[in-house]
Amino acid sequence: MTQHKEEWGSKLGVILAVAGSAVGLGNFLRFPGQAAQNGGGAFLIPYFCALFLLGIPIGWAEWAMGRYGGKKGLHSAPMIMGAIGKSGLARYIGIIGVLIPLGVSTYYMFIETWTFGYFLKYLTGGIGIDPNASIEAQTAVANAFFDSFTGAGADGSLFHGDGLRTLLTWVVVFAINVYFVFRGLSKGIEKFVSFAMPVMAVCALVVLIRVLTLGTPDPNVPENNVINGLGFMWNPNYEKLGDFKTWLAAASQIFFSLSVGFGVIINYASYMKKDDDVALSGLTASATNELFEVGFGGMITLTAAVVFLGLSGTQVAVAGGTFKLGFATLPVVFAHMGWFGNIMGALWFLVLWLAAITSSLSMYQPAVAHLKEALDWSHGKATGFIAAIGTAGALLTLWYSAGGTFLNTMDFWVGTYLIFLLAMAQIIYFAWVFGIDRGWKEIHTGAAIQIPPFVKIIMKYVAPAYLLIVFIGFNIQSFASELKNATATVGARVGLATIVALILYLVVVTAMGEKRLRAAGVDLDDDKPAT
Ligand code: PFF
């Protein structure tokens, strides 16, 4: 290959980059929304089961596969999966590992834009909520601002009038992303995350402390207090455990949040040195994600919501959409903090924005790496091309903004459904085709910790079976209705067409890549027969 070798600047760099990819809007918006919609504390049992039986073990497999691919000079999920899975089928399934990050980026960038827009708004005086009005009136103002900023009124409304502000914000946010991806792995992504992660942690801590010291703001409603807010999240509710949907939602949340099953970790780990630790690194990245998700995302958002809206008010707020807690409920809370409220608001949306950008940076890198590897393109050319695809995807999301039908189609099929498929393929190829004993050795090469041996059983039997059950249940429960949704409106149909177009494009690039790499004498196959 003609490109010079890319690699991380330091051992900490890759951990921060994976943690940056993991910690994102999934932690601060999706997790609290899912938890509230699925019964608060009830959600946490299936959530932690999914973390320990799926997220962390499959994450380790991904880290190890990525580093293994890197040793062969491969960096894209299709080529690495092809070697691990010893087949062309595995290689083409690996396409999903480029499709997911790229597909998710089309709408993720849109939400990232909202966070930046809100941040600017709070820096310049807030969103105009009058703390003396009734809670209902305040919530109405917050909702109206949200609807106008996000173009919920009508398709195309962001392309004129007030909506143009959102479009402009998107241009800035997208340009920042492209800039850092263009700068490259260690000078761009690693530099940015090394600065953003600590800043984000400090700001989130400040907001958390403020929320935990809210006490009982309205003495007339003594049950709306911090202790009940924490109880909402931490008191288990065993009744909900019988509901299959809760298990499904928890598993989806774990994958989305940890960035496991996406092709991102495979790609990032492929730039490690051949003896760099993956066992402790994977665990550290997951633990960091959980700190931000449960410790910051959940405890800030859910506690604040219950303190000001009560339990039932919180349920009503999330019924309006998963994102409502972060974008409509918290602004009402900030309005009650006096002069400090706007600072809190700015800090909160800065946290969201930094979390979002460290994630969105990881969505382009797999696609850029795929083009460079398959077509021998330069970094600049590959980045430019992916930026063009990203722009087209974002314009579609921005245009079909009413009701989020384009966004919902992408989020369901790419950001949920395909994640299950890829995660399943990854763990089966790793544990059964590459071979669990060999995989175990691979994970422990250069490892700073010894993983307890029972995890081997989880990887070989428990995780695939768990995924299979959830996936089958998922299909029975949602496939037909989701397919109907995906063809019900123009925005949804355009979403589906975009996914199909992306798949076709990735198939062609992968086929060309295989041909080119083989001709160049690159070893695309696993070097050992199946065990
Ligand atoms: N893990 C990110 C979050 O929790 O917000 C989301 C994400 C990152 C999605 C990277 C897709 C991706 F490629």
Side-chain angles (χ1 to χ4, degrees):
M1 267 176 276
T2 50
Q3 289 101 20
H4 72 257
K5 202 165 171 274
E6 271 186 295
E7 56 182 17
W8 297 105
S10 73
K11 289 187 183 131
L12 187 62
V14 62
I15 300 175
L16 283 176
V18 173
S21 169
V23 176
L25 299 173
N27 302 55
F28 292 100
L29 298 172
R30 199 178 188 275
F31 172 76
Q34 288 289 325
Q37 281 173 352
N38 288 287
F43 187 68
L44 287 187
I45 295 172
Y47 176 84
F48 282 113
C49 287
L51 172 68
F52 291 114
L53 299 177
L54 298 175
I56 295 179
I58 300 179
W60 270 323
E62 248 198 83
W63 276 84
M65 288 190 276
R67 192 189 52 181
Y68 172 82
K71 280 189 256 186
K72 290 165 134 337
L74 304 174
H75 299 289
S76 74
M79 300 307 165
I80 296 176
M81 291 276 294
I84 296 278
K86 303 178 196 290
S87 65
L89 179 65
R91 189 170 305 114
Y92 284 92
I93 289 181
I95 282 177
I96 305 175
V98 181
L99 174 66
I100 294 173
L102 200 55
V104 169
S105 79
T106 59
Y107 63 89
Y108 202 87
M109 192 60 63
F110 186 37
I111 306 166
E112 186 171 319
T113 298
W114 306 346
T115 62
F116 190 59
Y118 270 65
F119 168 60
L120 295 181
K121 204 68 194 157
Y122 271 97
L123 277 187
T124 52
I127 65 170
I129 297 174
D130 172 9
N132 300 316
S134 68
I135 288 280
E136 289 74 23
Q138 294 175 38
T139 307
V141 171
N143 277 327
F145 183 85
F146 181 76
D147 287 350
S148 129
F149 197 82
T150 61
D155 282 350
S157 57
L158 296 177
F159 287 76
H160 50 79
D162 273 358
L164 281 176
R165 167 182 63 176
T166 307
L167 214 58
L168 270 179
T169 317
W170 171 77
V171 171
V172 174
V173 169
F174 188 62
I176 294 174
N177 273 274
V178 173
Y179 172 76
F180 283 105
V181 174
F182 179 72
R183 295 265 304 166
L185 208 64
S186 58
K187 280 200 225 121
I189 297 176
E190 186 170 349
K191 259 228 165 87
F192 187 81
V193 295
S194 306
F195 144 83
M197 294 300 284
V199 173
M200 189 160 72
V202 171
C203 295
L205 193 63
V206 173
V207 180
L208 177 66
I209 291 172
R210 183 63 196 101
V211 166
L212 293 182
T213 50
L214 282 171
T216 310
D218 184 352
N220 298 322
V221 201
E223 68 275 17
N224 290 358
N225 60 46
V226 168
I227 298 299
N228 282 349
L230 291 172
F232 174 62
M233 188 170 145
W234 289 108
N235 293 340
N237 163 356
Y238 298 104
E239 258 169 49
K240 277 265 184 174
L241 291 185
D243 188 347
F244 186 74
K245 256 183 133 166
T246 313
W247 291 85
L248 204 68
S252 306
Q253 176 60 28
I254 280 297
F255 285 127
F256 191 88
S257 178
L258 288 176
S259 293
V260 163
F262 286 16
V264 166
I265 296 179
I266 274 201
N267 171 249
Y268 271 10
S270 76
Y271 302 107
M272 298 173 83
K273 297 193 179 68
K274 70 181 194 323
D275 286 329
D276 277 356
D277 158 275
V278 295
L280 184 59
S281 305
L283 193 62
T284 311
S286 302
T288 309
N289 185 65
E290 291 317 298
L291 170 71
F292 276 90
E293 178 141 305
V294 181
F296 293 139
M299 299 235 283
I300 291 173
T301 319
L302 292 173
T303 312
V306 172
V307 166
F308 282 94
L309 301 181
L311 285 177
S312 53
T314 302
Q315 309 279 13
V316 173
V318 285
T322 322
F323 295 150
K324 280 294 165 77
L325 281 179
F327 284 105
T329 307
L330 280 185
V332 171
V333 173
F334 300 140
H336 287 256
M337 293 181 176
W339 62 271
F340 200 50
N342 281 350
I343 298 178
M344 277 294 121
L347 279 178
W348 169 247
F349 287 108
L350 176 65
V351 168
L352 289 193
W353 182 58
L354 291 174
I357 193 165
T358 55
S359 298
S360 58
L361 287 177
S362 75
M363 295 174 194
Y364 297 116
Q365 181 64 26
V368 169
H370 186 225
L371 281 175
K372 288 169 69 174
E373 180 168 286
L375 306 181
D376 202 20
W377 281 8
S378 69
H379 185 75
K381 187 170 168 189
T383 309
F385 189 76
I386 293 305
I389 294 189
T391 305
L395 288 176
L396 291 173
T397 323
L398 289 158
W399 182 269
Y400 294 108
S401 53
T405 49
F406 179 92
L407 187 156
N408 293 344
T409 303
M410 274 285 172
D411 186 37
F412 178 78
W413 291 102
V414 178
T416 312
Y417 195 84
L418 287 181
I419 292 179
F420 272 99
L421 257 184
L422 185 63
M424 206 148 53
Q426 284 178 338
I427 196 67
I428 290 173
Y429 280 127
F430 182 77
W432 291 86
V433 180
F434 189 74
I436 189 68
D437 290 328
R438 224 177 125 203
W440 196 251
K441 244 198 230 138
E442 189 61 43
I443 293 176
H444 286 91
T445 305
I449 52 166
Q450 169 69 40
I451 301 170
F454 68 82
V455 175
K456 239 169 138 172
I457 299 170
I458 295 181
M459 283 184 165
K460 187 159 183 187
Y461 302 105
V462 182
Y466 192 140
L467 270 176
L468 213 61
I469 293 170
V470 175
F471 191 64
I472 291 171
F474 194 56
N475 279 296
I476 295 174
Q477 210 165 44
S478 312
F479 192 86
S481 62
E482 287 294 341
L483 200 60
K484 215 166 132 209
N485 287 345
T487 49
T489 61
V490 181
R493 286 196 289 271
V494 174
L496 209 54
T498 307
I499 296 169
V500 173
L502 283 174
I503 292 175
L504 290 177
Y505 146 77
L506 289 170
V507 167
V508 171
V509 174
T510 304
M512 288 167 69
E514 181 183 357
K515 214 167 138 207
R516 185 189 89 74
L517 290 168
R518 286 203 193 282
V522 176
D523 174 20
L524 290 183
D525 303 302
D526 186 20
D527 20 60
K528 275 202 194 131
T531 45

